Amino acid sequence: VAPTTPVCEVPSSAMTGTVVQMSCKETEGSPPSEYQWYKNGVALLEKTATGSARAANITYTMNKKSGTLLFNTVTKNDTGEYFCEASNGIGLSQKCSVKRMQV
């Protein structure tokens, strides 16, 4: 079953230095969807355990299975327009509407 349009939860504003968690979920897809987050139209990288993420100055953890995007401490650089895409290899992938977060 192809995924339906996911529901994205993105806070409209956040204080610098706080923890922010965004979520993305759709329930129709079978097999279960994987989720990819985008910021300003660019796919966010999944953090790897090799430490390359630190070199890229990545301040978040993205979980493709659960659809969560977690910022341990947001900075002004994290301000932007976010959306998420659900895909499971069947039919077209589905995106939620873009939501802006201001830090």
Side-chain angles (χ1 to χ4, degrees):
V1 180
T4 55
T5 303
V7 175
C8 295
E9 291 182 20
V10 176
S12 57
S13 63
M15 293 289 291
T16 304
T18 58
V19 174
V20 172
Q21 181 168 315
M22 303 181 187
S23 65
C24 178
K25 194 77 184 155
E26 70 82 31
T27 53
E28 298 293 312
S30 180
S33 291
E34 291 210 339
Y35 303 97
Q36 171 67 52
W37 280 95
Y38 293 80
K39 176 188 174 188
N40 300 332
V42 179
L44 292 174
L45 298 168
E46 192 166 20
K47 201 174 199 174
T48 57
T50 59
S52 60
R54 193 171 297 140
N57 206 17
I58 292 176
T59 58
Y60 58 81
T61 307
M62 178 170 59
N63 186 322
K64 292 194 170 188
K65 298 274 189 224
S66 68
T68 56
L69 181 62
L70 178 69
F71 294 88
N72 287 326
T73 52
V74 291
T75 67
K76 284 187 167 43
N77 293 337
D78 295 317
T79 295
E81 297 187 334
Y82 291 85
F83 71 88
C84 143
E85 180 179 66
S87 59
N88 66 355
I90 297 169
L92 295 171
S93 59
Q94 298 287 332
K95 300 178 177 70
C96 65
S97 56
V98 176
K99 297 187 179 178
R100 182 169 179 81
M101 179 176 74
Q102 181 73 44
V103 181

